[in-house]
Amino acid sequence: MIDLSVDFGFIKLKNPVLAASGTFGYGIEFSPFIDLNKLGGFVVKGLYYSPRPGNPPQRLVETPSGLINAIGLQGIGVKKFAEDILPQLRKYQTAIIVNVCGETEEEYAKVVDFLNKEDGISLYEINISCPNVKEGGCCPAQNPESTYSVVHLVKEVSARPVITKLSPNVTDIVEIALSAQEAGSDAVSLVNTFLAMAIDVEERRPKLANILGGLSGPAIKPLALRMVYQVVKHLNIPVIGIGGIMTGQDALEFLIAGAKAVQVGTANFVDPEATVKIIQDIQRHCQFNNITKIEDIIGTLNE
Amino acid sequence: MIDLSVDFGFIKLKNPVLAASGTFGYGIEFSPFIDLNKLGGFVVKGLYYSPRPGNPPQRLVETPSGLINAIGLQGIGVKKFAEDILPQLRKYQTAIIVNVCGETEEEYAKVVDFLNKEDGISLYEINISCPNVKEGGCCPAQNPESTYSVVHLVKEVSARPVITKLSPNVTDIVEIALSAQEAGSDAVSLVNTFLAMAIDVEERRPKLANILGGLSGPAIKPLALRMVYQVVKHLNIPVIGIGGIMTGQDALEFLIAGAKAVQVGTANFVDPEATVKIIQDIQRHCQFNNITKIEDIIGTLNE
Amino acid sequence: MLKDPHALITHKEHWKDYYLFTLESPIIASQAEPGQFIMVRVSSLSCPLLRRPFSIHSVEGKNIEIFFQKSGIGTSLLSNKITGDFMDIIGPLGKGFSWSQHSKTQDIVLIGGGRGIAPLYFLSQKLHSAGTTPIIFYGGKTKDDIPLKEKFEQKGFTIYCSTDDGSFGFRGLITDCFKDQLKNLTPKQIFACGPEPMMKAISQVAVKRGIPAEFSLESVMGCGFGACWGCVKKIKTKAGSEWVKICEEGPVFSSFEIVWEEQEK
Amino acid sequence: MLKDPHALITHKEHWKDYYLFTLESPIIASQAEPGQFIMVRVSSLSCPLLRRPFSIHSVEGKNIEIFFQKSGIGTSLLSNKITGDFMDIIGPLGKGFSWSQHSKTQDIVLIGGGRGIAPLYFLSQKLHSAGTTPIIFYGGKTKDDIPLKEKFEQKGFTIYCSTDDGSFGFRGLITDCFKDQLKNLTPKQIFACGPEPMMKAISQVAVKRGIPAEFSLESVMGCGFGACWGCVKKIKTKAGSEWVKICEEGPVFSSFEIVWEEQEK
Ligand SMILES: Cc1cc2nc3c(=O)[nH]c(=O)nc-3n(C[C@H](O)[C@H](O)[C@H](O)COP(=O)(O)OP(=O)(O)OC[C@H]3O[C@@H](n4cnc5c(N)ncnc54)[C@H](O)[C@@H]3O)c2cc1C
Ligand SMILES: Cc1cc2nc3c(=O)[nH]c(=O)nc-3n(C[C@H](O)[C@H](O)[C@H](O)COP(=O)(O)OP(=O)(O)OC[C@H]3O[C@@H](n4cnc5c(N)ncnc54)[C@H](O)[C@@H]3O)c2cc1C
Ligand SMILES: Cc1cc2nc3c(=O)[nH]c(=O)nc-3n(C[C@H](O)[C@H](O)[C@H](O)COP(=O)(O)O)c2cc1C
Ligand SMILES: Cc1cc2nc3c(=O)[nH]c(=O)nc-3n(C[C@H](O)[C@H](O)[C@H](O)COP(=O)(O)O)c2cc1C
Ligand code: FES
Ligand code: FES
């Protein structure tokens, strides 16, 4: 028996494979395909306090080995989530993580405050890449001070451990990660999508109605892995690797680089069984290499 | 007859398609495949003042729709370039651009100063992504002040117009581009490669001897295009688009976004005729759409 | 709804750029309804990355058929598959046409433009076995773009064809051909699929004449099963109108639900 | 050196994971020398992105042959090609074996490990027609990994085979098989190609015994024609030793030029 469990200190996951926010719906969309109990956990679609209409279509563009999305965080808001969705999720024996969004710092806190009362949530993941409508700028994730500020505020109200999800659109990812750690984040996850664009040459207009979107998928894996490698070296809280993971091999690259767990995103669209297959692949790799605990692989990169 | 020429003010190119530095050798490597005179121009491999040994292998890793390289700017130095290579290049009727590197600001200036005396060079492109060995850090391209400083120094000694080549590994590409413009750069080109990594899962070691390398190829096109789009909006000097261009369609995306010209990199490895085919594709597109001058396409994005 | 990675191609036919594949996929076949679709993995590599949606063109025992037009990289790769190859498919997906309530309705009209004819064959079969025989309108750019004409005729359907260039049948758009025939016909229900401008024009006629009409919409789909929120169209709901996932709530909607593109601007 | 996007596959053979393609490419055929290679585009899409290098396995009139082992995505895609398909190739590339100066040398030994046998067949043919008949050593993991054994035998060459598992011929490494035969043989020249540890071991024997030896090196190649500086190996030069592009200055180098990997550390 191979022990695939990973211990974050504040939570123990049955295995290091999570599904990434926004690519796994509210989880239940995948129950026709896989047994959700097999996952280390899953992160639900980003939640603002209020429902959000999202962007007009076209919302997706396929690019070489990648996908640009500009969904615009369409969502049902916390109340409907708590009423309609959470009751369905409580029966699963896996970590349920809520991806917390906000247009202002206060909105992040409001979401967390509201959800604190609800059972069946294991962790919060704060998505600091939400556009800041109030200040007109991009998002807290691009600046160490605003990262600190949001994380600090959320930690103050949160009744549960908090993962901070970092944006890759920065000069120095380590600086932002350190800020999150300093502000009390219990873990960091990276990366969110890369700001991207595509143009329709015949029509001479942006392919996305929103003009810009976020790139995900295999194309970004080498960039995400580099960032995880850099962040792991400087942090003493757990790091979750995300970006272009399609196979067990991809997941193992992140684990070897030092990620305690990984999240699988775009792969879920291509193959709704991807998460479970990745877990199987990892298991097989351990078996083949006589590794009895997955934790013996984590952070074992020979430089 | 379609007029493909583009006028930068300080130079007129016969067409907007250049070959990118480090992917086109010293130009002559491609003469068995294409007529170099057909190009808008080409940028030779990055030149330091002194010869450089480069990194140990493995230097290349293929990734989904991408290539990570860690060549380490192996090169022959300016003297050998001036003696052995330049005389062979002078016969070509196309813009010859030298990609200028330096471990210190002074080295950039020394390269330019040395080359000022040599005939047959049209422009300098300063590669501000060279690792700064002296200060131990990354490179001037990640900071607006050091960008300003290098560009300013080079402009002072340069007898020729100067293009500043920007790195994409930054939070705010516009800020860096503005710095280059303020320091007197005559144009900017973007992007250089994205810092990336790949891990050999069986051996549990980085695939590249240098651990980190730069990602290029189709995978990065949506990111490069987004940056060009952003920079064009804020600069009043010409912008050259680079990143994952494989076809005429790809090149047109950059031109429509507002780039005055493009550089073709990794595509040259896959198809040594890529540049010439891209020129033909652009020509065909113009013909088909009754466009008589390529400049009528540049910056015509309907938002 | 299930994933079948081993849907065997048992038969392949093609006419210029149009392809018909017969796939052995018993469970999907047993569940499929007209207007539903499948998501097909076109490559095991990472480019093209996403699955492609195709309507279920017909069901015969444990087989389903898809009918598609080669129009890009994905369909081009698909067109190279041969009999004996396996396909990795997910289906049946979405909600189909409301055909079952129309077994008594006479003068049902099906209107297909180009590859939009695909789901209408399955629908025509179902209606036929339910006891009503729809009238078919089928338009294409040239006579090469209406390859399924004979297939419908062989089943005994009345079919009106149009081509933009007049190389066969009515010269012009299928919408005009349909409007033209309205002097003779009194349709009680319209089902249509094709390019959006075509469907919009039909919708306008239908609304004006008070004919109930349903349309199968297209959109770029990331997943096909409700997980990505990529495929939305503006649909009227109780709350007004919202971006609705057409892979889940559609792809079929009625005239009264769809907010056509130009209208929103 | 030229790009031939229309190299027609006129013949295909295979043994388990090993494939032999005959390609009609008259100009490349007319220029090719043993030890040179071609760069093959394995997909017209962007993944896999880079061309793959393959040694020229033989030349017959206007045809060249390549012999390869399916060992990853690229070779796997390639193995699906069929007779009548075109391949997009660049060649002949690099500098080959110094065979022409050895037309009088007797007791030439060719040593191939696994797919490393590929360039040695062409070399054996050239040497043979120049008037000297080399002795062949051919090693593989199992008897399935030495599929070209008969091909050499049919041409009348003496061939010693080894398999790691002893399923055919000498049990063990081809290097040990070769060392074992050194009691009977007095080679005047060695040409070898195979995994690097094998070549390194042979190089050490060769240097010790004063036998001139040449090796065809492998490396990850970005372009194959000198433009990317990706394919370097440490080679002794007048200036000491430097990273030399093996696609241009090699892939063939002598014992005295190569700085084998462990040595540098
Ligand atoms: C519910 C539904 C049912 C469909 N049924 C059929 C059918 O039965 N027969 C048929 O020929 N076609 C059908 N289509 C359209 C078909 O999915 C597209 O032609 C196909 O995806 C194009 O893929 P490509 O790679 O060849 O083209 P490319 O242009 O190379 O594809 C690029 C990207 O755009 C997307 N895309 C491009 N055009 C469309 C489009 N019109 N709709 C959705 N996505 C698109 C692709 O998914 C891909 O992500 C259907 C579409 C939908 C939404
Ligand atoms: C000069 C030269 C001649 C060769 N001749 C032959 C031959 O005649 N027959 C034969 O079977 N093989 C030959 N090889 C090795 C062959 O090129 C590789 O097996 C092939 O590139 C693997 O591609 P893949 O996509 O199947 O493997 P993958 O592992 O999926 O390829 C991944 C990447 O690694 C590179 N790569 C992986 N292994 C090697 C390798 N050993 N050498 C170079 N690049 C590699 C690929 O180019 C690609 O970029 C030769 C290599 C060189 C350098
Ligand atoms: C369609 C789509 C929607 C997404 N929505 C969210 C979201 O709501 N919150 C969030 O933190 N990340 C979101 N992401 C980012 C993913 O969780 C993930 O970080 C990113 O896609 C990179 O991983 P991948 O390459 O495996 O997809 C979304 C990604 C996609 C493709
Ligand atoms: C092997 C290789 C070497 C490169 N060397 C240089 C260089 O010397 N100087 C430079 O400014 N850019 C260098 N680049 C970056 C390219 O010029 C180009 O900016 C980048 O590859 C993105 O374009 P592409 O996606 O078309 O390749 C190099 C790229 C590659 C792949
Ligand atoms: S296609 Fe993903 S939600 Fe509809
Ligand atoms: S493979 Fe590009 S220089 Fe040798």
Side-chain angles (χ1 to χ4, degrees), chain B residues 57-60, chain D residues 37 39 53 115 196 216-222 229-233 244-247 251:
Chain B
Q58 182 169 343
R59 289 179 170 189
L60 299 176
Chain D
F37 64 98
M39 291 294 286
R115 67 188 187 205
E196 202 148 306
S216 179
L217 301 181
E218 278 193 13
S219 142
V220 179
M221 291 190 166
W229 271 257
C231 60
V232 298
K233 291 277 180 181
V244 167
K245 293 184 273 185
I246 73 161
C247 71

PDB file of all heavy atoms in Angstrom, chain B residues 57-60, chain D residues 37 39 53 115 196 216-222 229-233 244-247 251:
ATOM      1  N   PRO B  57      25.502  21.553 -21.904  1.00  0.00           N
ATOM      2  CA  PRO B  57      24.230  20.932 -22.308  1.00  0.00           C
ATOM      3  C   PRO B  57      23.658  20.109 -21.146  1.00  0.00           C
ATOM      4  O   PRO B  57      24.397  19.807 -20.223  1.00  0.00           O
ATOM      5  CB  PRO B  57      24.635  20.014 -23.463  1.00  0.00           C
ATOM      6  CG  PRO B  57      26.104  19.720 -23.265  1.00  0.00           C
ATOM      7  CD  PRO B  57      26.671  20.837 -22.441  1.00  0.00           C
ATOM      8  N   GLN B  58      22.441  19.781 -21.126  1.00  0.00           N
ATOM      9  CA  GLN B  58      21.377  19.937 -22.076  1.00  0.00           C
ATOM     10  C   GLN B  58      20.940  21.393 -22.080  1.00  0.00           C
ATOM     11  O   GLN B  58      20.633  21.969 -21.044  1.00  0.00           O
ATOM     12  CB  GLN B  58      20.224  18.998 -21.702  1.00  0.00           C
ATOM     13  CG  GLN B  58      19.094  19.052 -22.647  1.00  0.00           C
ATOM     14  CD  GLN B  58      18.096  17.913 -22.401  1.00  0.00           C
ATOM     15  OE1 GLN B  58      18.390  16.930 -21.743  1.00  0.00           O
ATOM     16  NE2 GLN B  58      16.919  18.067 -22.943  1.00  0.00           N
ATOM     17  N   ARG B  59      20.864  21.943 -23.284  1.00  0.00           N
ATOM     18  CA  ARG B  59      20.525  23.351 -23.458  1.00  0.00           C
ATOM     19  C   ARG B  59      19.103  23.583 -23.951  1.00  0.00           C
ATOM     20  O   ARG B  59      18.646  24.730 -23.979  1.00  0.00           O
ATOM     21  CB  ARG B  59      21.479  23.975 -24.486  1.00  0.00           C
ATOM     22  CG  ARG B  59      22.896  24.143 -24.001  1.00  0.00           C
ATOM     23  CD  ARG B  59      23.711  24.752 -25.120  1.00  0.00           C
ATOM     24  NE  ARG B  59      25.029  25.158 -24.661  1.00  0.00           N
ATOM     25  CZ  ARG B  59      25.872  25.874 -25.402  1.00  0.00           C
ATOM     26  NH1 ARG B  59      25.529  26.250 -26.626  1.00  0.00           N
ATOM     27  NH2 ARG B  59      27.050  26.214 -24.928  1.00  0.00           N
ATOM     28  N   LEU B  60      18.468  22.553 -24.447  1.00  0.00           N
ATOM     29  CA  LEU B  60      17.125  22.708 -25.036  1.00  0.00           C
ATOM     30  C   LEU B  60      16.157  21.693 -24.444  1.00  0.00           C
ATOM     31  O   LEU B  60      16.545  20.551 -24.197  1.00  0.00           O
ATOM     32  CB  LEU B  60      17.167  22.457 -26.550  1.00  0.00           C
ATOM     33  CG  LEU B  60      18.017  23.352 -27.435  1.00  0.00           C
ATOM     34  CD1 LEU B  60      17.965  22.842 -28.872  1.00  0.00           C
ATOM     35  CD2 LEU B  60      17.540  24.802 -27.371  1.00  0.00           C
TER      36      LEU B  60
ATOM     37  N   PHE D  37      23.052  13.108 -41.445  1.00  0.00           N
ATOM     38  CA  PHE D  37      21.689  12.850 -40.970  1.00  0.00           C
ATOM     39  C   PHE D  37      20.701  13.801 -41.637  1.00  0.00           C
ATOM     40  O   PHE D  37      21.106  14.713 -42.374  1.00  0.00           O
ATOM     41  CB  PHE D  37      21.636  12.967 -39.442  1.00  0.00           C
ATOM     42  CG  PHE D  37      21.929  14.347 -38.904  1.00  0.00           C
ATOM     43  CD1 PHE D  37      20.895  15.210 -38.558  1.00  0.00           C
ATOM     44  CD2 PHE D  37      23.242  14.783 -38.742  1.00  0.00           C
ATOM     45  CE1 PHE D  37      21.164  16.479 -38.068  1.00  0.00           C
ATOM     46  CE2 PHE D  37      23.512  16.067 -38.242  1.00  0.00           C
ATOM     47  CZ  PHE D  37      22.476  16.911 -37.905  1.00  0.00           C
ATOM     48  N   MET D  39      16.863  16.051 -40.821  1.00  0.00           N
ATOM     49  CA  MET D  39      15.926  16.529 -39.799  1.00  0.00           C
ATOM     50  C   MET D  39      14.528  16.361 -40.375  1.00  0.00           C
ATOM     51  O   MET D  39      14.230  16.858 -41.468  1.00  0.00           O
ATOM     52  CB  MET D  39      16.168  17.999 -39.470  1.00  0.00           C
ATOM     53  CG  MET D  39      17.467  18.300 -38.740  1.00  0.00           C
ATOM     54  SD  MET D  39      17.602  17.632 -37.049  1.00  0.00           S
ATOM     55  CE  MET D  39      16.523  18.707 -36.107  1.00  0.00           C
ATOM     56  N   PRO D  53      16.076  14.429 -35.518  1.00  0.00           N
ATOM     57  CA  PRO D  53      17.214  13.976 -36.330  1.00  0.00           C
ATOM     58  C   PRO D  53      17.262  12.463 -36.520  1.00  0.00           C
ATOM     59  O   PRO D  53      17.034  11.715 -35.563  1.00  0.00           O
ATOM     60  CB  PRO D  53      18.427  14.432 -35.507  1.00  0.00           C
ATOM     61  CG  PRO D  53      17.941  14.521 -34.090  1.00  0.00           C
ATOM     62  CD  PRO D  53      16.446  14.700 -34.116  1.00  0.00           C
ATOM     63  N   ARG D 115      19.446   1.417 -31.807  1.00  0.00           N
ATOM     64  CA  ARG D 115      19.166   2.200 -33.014  1.00  0.00           C
ATOM     65  C   ARG D 115      20.442   2.795 -33.596  1.00  0.00           C
ATOM     66  O   ARG D 115      20.449   3.282 -34.722  1.00  0.00           O
ATOM     67  CB  ARG D 115      18.160   3.290 -32.702  1.00  0.00           C
ATOM     68  CG  ARG D 115      18.730   4.338 -31.747  1.00  0.00           C
ATOM     69  CD  ARG D 115      17.673   5.313 -31.285  1.00  0.00           C
ATOM     70  NE  ARG D 115      18.321   6.384 -30.522  1.00  0.00           N
ATOM     71  CZ  ARG D 115      17.727   7.112 -29.607  1.00  0.00           C
ATOM     72  NH1 ARG D 115      16.457   6.898 -29.331  1.00  0.00           N
ATOM     73  NH2 ARG D 115      18.383   8.051 -28.981  1.00  0.00           N
ATOM     74  N   GLU D 196      25.690   6.578 -25.243  1.00  0.00           N
ATOM     75  CA  GLU D 196      26.951   7.221 -24.900  1.00  0.00           C
ATOM     76  C   GLU D 196      27.863   6.358 -24.003  1.00  0.00           C
ATOM     77  O   GLU D 196      29.071   6.297 -24.263  1.00  0.00           O
ATOM     78  CB  GLU D 196      26.688   8.600 -24.273  1.00  0.00           C
ATOM     79  CG  GLU D 196      27.912   9.502 -24.404  1.00  0.00           C
ATOM     80  CD  GLU D 196      27.574  10.970 -24.552  1.00  0.00           C
ATOM     81  OE1 GLU D 196      26.791  11.311 -25.453  1.00  0.00           O
ATOM     82  OE2 GLU D 196      28.107  11.769 -23.765  1.00  0.00           O
ATOM     83  N   SER D 216      29.572   8.508 -33.625  1.00  0.00           N
ATOM     84  CA  SER D 216      28.502   9.431 -33.990  1.00  0.00           C
ATOM     85  C   SER D 216      27.720   9.778 -32.720  1.00  0.00           C
ATOM     86  O   SER D 216      27.088   8.919 -32.114  1.00  0.00           O
ATOM     87  CB  SER D 216      27.581   8.766 -35.023  1.00  0.00           C
ATOM     88  OG  SER D 216      26.539   9.645 -35.354  1.00  0.00           O
ATOM     89  N   LEU D 217      27.788  11.039 -32.324  1.00  0.00           N
ATOM     90  CA  LEU D 217      27.183  11.481 -31.067  1.00  0.00           C
ATOM     91  C   LEU D 217      25.717  11.859 -31.264  1.00  0.00           C
ATOM     92  O   LEU D 217      25.294  12.206 -32.355  1.00  0.00           O
ATOM     93  CB  LEU D 217      27.937  12.685 -30.499  1.00  0.00           C
ATOM     94  CG  LEU D 217      29.427  12.482 -30.189  1.00  0.00           C
ATOM     95  CD1 LEU D 217      30.017  13.766 -29.611  1.00  0.00           C
ATOM     96  CD2 LEU D 217      29.633  11.321 -29.215  1.00  0.00           C
ATOM     97  N   GLU D 218      24.981  11.806 -30.161  1.00  0.00           N
ATOM     98  CA  GLU D 218      23.593  12.283 -30.172  1.00  0.00           C
ATOM     99  C   GLU D 218      23.446  13.459 -29.223  1.00  0.00           C
ATOM    100  O   GLU D 218      24.216  13.590 -28.270  1.00  0.00           O
ATOM    101  CB  GLU D 218      22.626  11.180 -29.737  1.00  0.00           C
ATOM    102  CG  GLU D 218      22.267  10.221 -30.839  1.00  0.00           C
ATOM    103  CD  GLU D 218      21.080   9.333 -30.469  1.00  0.00           C
ATOM    104  OE1 GLU D 218      20.396   9.619 -29.468  1.00  0.00           O
ATOM    105  OE2 GLU D 218      20.848   8.359 -31.195  1.00  0.00           O
ATOM    106  N   SER D 219      22.443  14.259 -29.475  1.00  0.00           N
ATOM    107  CA  SER D 219      22.160  15.386 -28.595  1.00  0.00           C
ATOM    108  C   SER D 219      20.798  15.949 -28.991  1.00  0.00           C
ATOM    109  O   SER D 219      20.308  15.675 -30.085  1.00  0.00           O
ATOM    110  CB  SER D 219      23.295  16.403 -28.760  1.00  0.00           C
ATOM    111  OG  SER D 219      22.825  17.699 -28.717  1.00  0.00           O
ATOM    112  N   VAL D 220      20.165  16.654 -28.091  1.00  0.00           N
ATOM    113  CA  VAL D 220      18.885  17.261 -28.441  1.00  0.00           C
ATOM    114  C   VAL D 220      19.154  18.390 -29.438  1.00  0.00           C
ATOM    115  O   VAL D 220      19.963  19.274 -29.161  1.00  0.00           O
ATOM    116  CB  VAL D 220      18.150  17.820 -27.209  1.00  0.00           C
ATOM    117  CG1 VAL D 220      16.831  18.462 -27.618  1.00  0.00           C
ATOM    118  CG2 VAL D 220      17.891  16.710 -26.206  1.00  0.00           C
ATOM    119  N   MET D 221      18.511  18.337 -30.572  1.00  0.00           N
ATOM    120  CA  MET D 221      18.792  19.312 -31.627  1.00  0.00           C
ATOM    121  C   MET D 221      17.599  20.236 -31.852  1.00  0.00           C
ATOM    122  O   MET D 221      16.485  19.763 -32.025  1.00  0.00           O
ATOM    123  CB  MET D 221      19.132  18.585 -32.917  1.00  0.00           C
ATOM    124  CG  MET D 221      20.461  17.859 -32.830  1.00  0.00           C
ATOM    125  SD  MET D 221      20.991  17.248 -34.432  1.00  0.00           S
ATOM    126  CE  MET D 221      22.707  16.846 -34.052  1.00  0.00           C
ATOM    127  N   GLY D 222      17.871  21.520 -31.895  1.00  0.00           N
ATOM    128  CA  GLY D 222      16.815  22.486 -32.161  1.00  0.00           C
ATOM    129  C   GLY D 222      16.590  22.680 -33.641  1.00  0.00           C
ATOM    130  O   GLY D 222      15.457  22.843 -34.090  1.00  0.00           O
ATOM    131  N   TRP D 229      22.583  26.650 -31.638  1.00  0.00           N
ATOM    132  CA  TRP D 229      23.608  26.407 -30.604  1.00  0.00           C
ATOM    133  C   TRP D 229      23.082  25.485 -29.491  1.00  0.00           C
ATOM    134  O   TRP D 229      23.564  25.534 -28.377  1.00  0.00           O
ATOM    135  CB  TRP D 229      24.083  27.727 -29.982  1.00  0.00           C
ATOM    136  CG  TRP D 229      25.238  28.363 -30.676  1.00  0.00           C
ATOM    137  CD1 TRP D 229      26.552  28.363 -30.290  1.00  0.00           C
ATOM    138  CD2 TRP D 229      25.214  29.122 -31.890  1.00  0.00           C
ATOM    139  NE1 TRP D 229      27.325  29.058 -31.181  1.00  0.00           N
ATOM    140  CE2 TRP D 229      26.531  29.547 -32.179  1.00  0.00           C
ATOM    141  CE3 TRP D 229      24.204  29.478 -32.791  1.00  0.00           C
ATOM    142  CZ2 TRP D 229      26.854  30.302 -33.296  1.00  0.00           C
ATOM    143  CZ3 TRP D 229      24.530  30.233 -33.904  1.00  0.00           C
ATOM    144  CH2 TRP D 229      25.833  30.640 -34.146  1.00  0.00           C
ATOM    145  N   GLY D 230      22.106  24.656 -29.811  1.00  0.00           N
ATOM    146  CA  GLY D 230      21.521  23.814 -28.775  1.00  0.00           C
ATOM    147  C   GLY D 230      22.215  22.478 -28.591  1.00  0.00           C
ATOM    148  O   GLY D 230      22.130  21.872 -27.533  1.00  0.00           O
ATOM    149  N   CYS D 231      22.902  22.014 -29.629  1.00  0.00           N
ATOM    150  CA  CYS D 231      23.312  20.609 -29.704  1.00  0.00           C
ATOM    151  C   CYS D 231      24.741  20.362 -29.274  1.00  0.00           C
ATOM    152  O   CYS D 231      25.317  19.344 -29.626  1.00  0.00           O
ATOM    153  CB  CYS D 231      23.166  20.161 -31.154  1.00  0.00           C
ATOM    154  SG  CYS D 231      24.223  21.160 -32.242  1.00  0.00           S
ATOM    155  N   VAL D 232      25.329  21.291 -28.525  1.00  0.00           N
ATOM    156  CA  VAL D 232      26.774  21.225 -28.286  1.00  0.00           C
ATOM    157  C   VAL D 232      27.214  20.047 -27.421  1.00  0.00           C
ATOM    158  O   VAL D 232      26.468  19.553 -26.573  1.00  0.00           O
ATOM    159  CB  VAL D 232      27.277  22.523 -27.618  1.00  0.00           C
ATOM    160  CG1 VAL D 232      27.036  23.715 -28.533  1.00  0.00           C
ATOM    161  CG2 VAL D 232      26.619  22.734 -26.265  1.00  0.00           C
ATOM    162  N   LYS D 233      28.443  19.624 -27.665  1.00  0.00           N
ATOM    163  CA  LYS D 233      29.168  18.671 -26.816  1.00  0.00           C
ATOM    164  C   LYS D 233      30.567  19.255 -26.596  1.00  0.00           C
ATOM    165  O   LYS D 233      31.034  20.067 -27.401  1.00  0.00           O
ATOM    166  CB  LYS D 233      29.294  17.315 -27.521  1.00  0.00           C
ATOM    167  CG  LYS D 233      27.988  16.573 -27.660  1.00  0.00           C
ATOM    168  CD  LYS D 233      27.645  15.820 -26.397  1.00  0.00           C
ATOM    169  CE  LYS D 233      26.338  15.079 -26.539  1.00  0.00           C
ATOM    170  NZ  LYS D 233      25.980  14.360 -25.309  1.00  0.00           N
ATOM    171  N   VAL D 244      30.998  22.590 -28.843  1.00  0.00           N
ATOM    172  CA  VAL D 244      30.964  22.602 -30.306  1.00  0.00           C
ATOM    173  C   VAL D 244      29.612  22.075 -30.784  1.00  0.00           C
ATOM    174  O   VAL D 244      29.085  21.113 -30.227  1.00  0.00           O
ATOM    175  CB  VAL D 244      32.130  21.744 -30.855  1.00  0.00           C
ATOM    176  CG1 VAL D 244      31.954  21.453 -32.332  1.00  0.00           C
ATOM    177  CG2 VAL D 244      33.455  22.456 -30.598  1.00  0.00           C
ATOM    178  N   LYS D 245      29.064  22.716 -31.799  1.00  0.00           N
ATOM    179  CA  LYS D 245      27.783  22.300 -32.368  1.00  0.00           C
ATOM    180  C   LYS D 245      27.976  20.987 -33.115  1.00  0.00           C
ATOM    181  O   LYS D 245      28.656  20.954 -34.139  1.00  0.00           O
ATOM    182  CB  LYS D 245      27.268  23.362 -33.331  1.00  0.00           C
ATOM    183  CG  LYS D 245      26.880  24.660 -32.656  1.00  0.00           C
ATOM    184  CD  LYS D 245      26.284  25.651 -33.642  1.00  0.00           C
ATOM    185  CE  LYS D 245      27.352  26.473 -34.306  1.00  0.00           C
ATOM    186  NZ  LYS D 245      26.805  27.519 -35.192  1.00  0.00           N
ATOM    187  N   ILE D 246      27.371  19.924 -32.617  1.00  0.00           N
ATOM    188  CA  ILE D 246      27.615  18.633 -33.259  1.00  0.00           C
ATOM    189  C   ILE D 246      26.824  18.480 -34.552  1.00  0.00           C
ATOM    190  O   ILE D 246      27.137  17.628 -35.369  1.00  0.00           O
ATOM    191  CB  ILE D 246      27.361  17.440 -32.307  1.00  0.00           C
ATOM    192  CG1 ILE D 246      25.879  17.205 -32.051  1.00  0.00           C
ATOM    193  CG2 ILE D 246      28.143  17.594 -31.004  1.00  0.00           C
ATOM    194  CD1 ILE D 246      25.600  15.820 -31.511  1.00  0.00           C
ATOM    195  N   CYS D 247      25.834  19.310 -34.762  1.00  0.00           N
ATOM    196  CA  CYS D 247      25.093  19.209 -36.024  1.00  0.00           C
ATOM    197  C   CYS D 247      25.921  19.733 -37.191  1.00  0.00           C
ATOM    198  O   CYS D 247      25.657  19.387 -38.338  1.00  0.00           O
ATOM    199  CB  CYS D 247      23.772  19.961 -35.950  1.00  0.00           C
ATOM    200  SG  CYS D 247      23.929  21.758 -35.921  1.00  0.00           S
ATOM    201  N   PRO D 251      27.878  14.969 -36.613  1.00  0.00           N
ATOM    202  CA  PRO D 251      27.860  14.327 -35.288  1.00  0.00           C
ATOM    203  C   PRO D 251      29.027  13.372 -35.055  1.00  0.00           C
ATOM    204  O   PRO D 251      29.155  12.850 -33.969  1.00  0.00           O
ATOM    205  CB  PRO D 251      26.526  13.562 -35.289  1.00  0.00           C
ATOM    206  CG  PRO D 251      26.270  13.247 -36.721  1.00  0.00           C
ATOM    207  CD  PRO D 251      26.813  14.410 -37.491  1.00  0.00           C
TER     208      PRO D 251
END
